[in-house]
Amino acid sequence: AAGGPKPLPSSGPKSLREMPHPLATSSSEEMGPALTPSPDLLLPRSIADKDLSLPNGTPVDTSSPASSSSLLNRLQLDDDFDGETRDLFVTVDDPKKHVCTMETYITYRVTTKTTRAEFDLPEYSVRRRYQDFDWLRNKLEESQPTHLIPPLPEKFVVKGVVDRFSEEFVETRRKALDKFLKRITDHPVLSFNEHFNVFLTAKDLNAYKKQGMALLSKMGESVKYVTGGYKLRSRPLEFAAIGEYLDTFSLKLGTIDRIAQRIIKEQLEYLVELREYGPVYSTWGGLEVELSEPLEGVSACIGNCCTALEELSEEMTEDFLPVLREYILYSESMKNVLKKRDQVQAEYEAKLEAVALKKEDRPKVPTDVEKCQDRVECFNADLKADMERWQNNKRQDFRQLLMGMADKNIQYYEKCLTAWESIIPLLQDKPETK
């Protein structure tokens, strides 16, 4: 079996000093040039400069310092953020199983360290279960409808998982929940949300849950209960481009996710066969005295390949698939924000038409129309800022993800190569019988 679980790639935050508050301006034109998302994933830079010699019939020293393990180190140095200042740190760890009369569930420790004035203490430690994280996300969607809320891991991360209390499942979820909170912590608006503060500090969250919809913002109510009888004429070109990009992105990523799951399934099936294959050589070696040593060597070699393949499959399941699923869910979240923006624009257009139909000479546009226009501009500014932040995180995450996948595959084949090369001397040095 592979070693302890490894953390998911994390996206580095953008400096808050480089990112002005998206509500600081009253017009979307003041936010700078329009965002034109590219449907192409930013692939890792070429690794052709690495001096890696491939085997050509002769033994190869696979422990070379230029081996694959240096690739990720080089990447991480590139992504170092100089001068980054943070005043809020949140971690999710220490999952514990609780068995009650009515139900069994897992809680996680949420630790917060901060120097912000909004917090009464510099450090907090509370325990939360999955439904508490779900409550937080719903509250963020209600109170911050113009912003992209990070997705939560699905109730069941992988199809067919029966034991949701297994160590592997719980650890995968813990890492996803930890990333969920870190995404919020890195956001210049969401991290100051009152519900987030309550989630991090309240010993008893149930008292706040009972408040229901009382804390809904006026903006949230306006978006939620907007008149549905008016159809939006057309999205502005930049938001239409975002919508098309998200459709293409989620489609491509969904295809990669399905194929990756199928590959892992086939790897595990191959692993079962391989585990039956190796011992046969060992049994055969017991019957052939002169061939016992090389046959035992082949058996041991296959065993080493089994271990390497098992590690590769586990790392793909624990590190690769969850990131794909997160970004599929992320794209759906962004589509929902885009739909809300369209609803507000439709409301604004409906009000303008209503004013025009009255055919009254008005010295200025009615106040309610101006407020609706402000909401549209607020949505545009927030959506563009969040889309840019999301794109930056995505490029970073996928660079690290793909480099990590390449690194793990190189390590797997290096281990297999070393295992097979180890039996060559057994065959070459065997004296011929007369």
Side-chain angles (χ1 to χ4, degrees):
K6 301 171 180 57
L8 289 175
S10 61
S11 61
K14 188 174 182 179
S15 174
L16 299 185
R17 288 173 292 183
E18 299 175 6
M19 188 179 302
H21 194 293
L23 303 184
T25 57
S26 59
S27 170
S28 60
E29 286 77 18
E30 297 176 33
M31 293 301 294
L35 172 68
T36 307
S38 169
D40 299 325
L41 292 175
L42 182 60
L43 297 177
R45 68 169 183 269
S46 173
I47 59 173
D49 58 321
K50 188 170 81 71
D51 184 17
L52 180 63
S53 59
L54 296 178
N56 188 18
T58 56
V60 176
D61 181 12
T62 57
S63 61
S64 168
S67 186
S68 58
S69 59
S70 64
L71 296 179
L72 277 181
N73 294 333
R74 191 187 314 165
L75 173 68
Q76 289 164 355
L77 288 175
D78 293 343
D79 289 337
D80 186 30
F81 287 86
D82 296 328
E84 184 68 36
T85 58
R86 301 280 298 279
D87 57 2
L88 181 63
F89 299 87
V90 181
T91 57
V92 178
D93 60 8
D94 189 28
K96 287 186 178 179
K97 185 177 180 180
H98 300 261
V99 181
C100 303
T101 305
M102 300 297 294
E103 62 176 338
T104 301
Y105 58 94
I106 302 292
T107 64
Y108 304 85
R109 180 174 62 188
V110 178
T111 304
T112 304
K113 295 182 180 181
T114 182
T115 57
R116 289 187 180 181
E118 292 81 9
F119 293 84
D120 298 329
L121 300 174
E123 186 170 346
Y124 295 87
S125 180
V126 295
R127 298 205 70 85
R128 298 286 184 253
R129 56 188 297 186
Y130 180 87
Q131 66 181 29
D132 297 331
F133 288 85
D134 192 43
W135 171 86
L136 170 63
R137 190 178 191 283
N138 289 334
K139 284 299 181 183
L140 290 176
E141 278 196 329
E142 292 171 359
S143 57
Q144 310 279 178
T146 64
H147 285 287
L148 171 62
I149 311 301
L152 272 175
E154 295 166 301
K155 194 69 175 176
F156 294 97
V157 178
V158 181
K159 285 185 177 180
V161 172
V162 177
D163 185 10
R164 63 190 180 96
F165 300 111
S166 66
E167 290 185 9
E168 294 79 7
F169 181 87
V170 171
E171 177 60 18
T172 299
R173 171 162 289 180
R174 182 203 64 77
K175 289 190 288 188
L177 294 176
D178 182 75
K179 177 171 279 191
F180 168 72
L181 292 187
K182 282 180 169 56
R183 300 281 198 201
I184 299 173
T185 301
D186 293 342
H187 197 284
V189 177
L190 299 180
S191 63
F192 288 93
N193 184 276
E194 59 181 318
H195 302 294
F196 187 45
N197 186 304
V198 167
F199 177 86
L200 297 179
T201 62
K203 289 295 182 183
D204 182 15
L205 202 59
N206 291 326
Y208 293 91
K209 288 183 178 181
K210 293 176 182 177
Q211 294 179 10
M213 304 289 287
L215 297 178
L216 258 181
S217 68
K218 292 182 179 180
M219 171 72 80
E221 291 174 349
S222 173
V223 173
K224 189 167 185 178
Y225 301 112
V226 67
T227 304
Y230 183 90
K231 187 175 181 181
L232 181 68
R233 289 184 196 141
S234 63
R235 281 177 177 167
L237 291 179
E238 59 184 322
F239 295 110
I242 290 176
E244 292 174 1
Y245 167 78
L246 291 172
D247 289 338
T248 302
F249 176 74
S250 57
L251 179 64
K252 299 298 183 184
L253 215 57
T255 302
I256 293 174
D257 180 54
R258 287 191 299 273
I259 294 175
Q261 290 194 47
R262 191 162 65 241
I263 290 174
I264 293 173
K265 180 175 178 292
E266 291 173 355
Q267 282 179 340
L268 294 177
E269 292 173 350
Y270 172 58
L271 184 60
V272 172
E273 299 291 339
L274 210 57
R275 282 173 174 160
E276 296 178 359
Y277 183 52
V280 175
Y281 285 92
S282 182
T283 305
W284 182 14
L287 302 175
E288 300 275 1
V289 178
E290 294 184 353
L291 295 176
S292 61
E293 191 175 0
L295 290 175
E296 287 289 350
V298 171
S299 179
C301 170
I302 294 174
N304 291 334
C305 291
C306 284
T307 302
L309 181 59
E310 185 177 15
E311 291 174 355
L312 178 65
S313 298
E314 287 183 2
E315 286 158 351
M316 288 283 288
T317 302
E318 294 173 4
D319 293 350
F320 186 74
L321 290 182
V323 177
L324 294 182
R325 292 301 306 159
E326 182 197 17
Y327 272 93
I328 291 173
L329 295 174
Y330 234 138
S331 63
E332 294 303 316
S333 297
M334 180 63 82
K335 289 178 186 178
N336 290 335
V337 179
L338 203 57
K339 289 178 182 177
K340 292 178 184 178
R341 194 218 71 86
D342 292 345
Q343 288 178 324
V344 173
Q345 182 182 339
E347 181 187 17
Y348 173 57
E349 292 177 356
K351 288 182 181 295
L352 282 181
E353 288 191 3
V355 170
L357 289 174
K358 290 181 180 180
K359 296 181 180 180
E360 296 179 4
D361 295 330
R362 293 178 179 270
K364 62 177 182 178
V365 179
T367 304
D368 61 332
V369 177
E370 289 181 339
K371 289 182 178 179
C372 194
Q373 182 183 12
D374 290 341
R375 288 200 295 271
V376 173
E377 293 176 349
C378 178
F379 242 118
N380 292 345
D382 289 349
L383 183 57
K384 286 193 289 186
D386 280 2
M387 185 66 183
E388 181 181 1
R389 185 179 300 104
W390 180 73
Q391 288 279 25
N392 290 335
N393 285 341
K394 176 176 63 64
R395 282 191 290 269
Q396 239 180 314
D397 285 352
F398 274 92
R399 276 183 65 199
Q400 193 163 351
L401 181 72
L402 297 175
M403 289 291 284
M405 181 174 66
D407 189 61
K408 299 304 179 186
N409 275 277
I410 291 172
Q411 289 178 11
Y412 164 70
Y413 288 108
E414 282 179 345
K415 290 175 182 177
C416 291
L417 176 64
T418 302
W420 285 109
E421 284 180 338
S422 67
I423 68 171
I424 293 177
L426 298 178
L427 300 175
Q428 291 176 337
D429 298 338
K430 190 68 177 177
E432 295 182 3
T433 57
K434 296 183 180 179

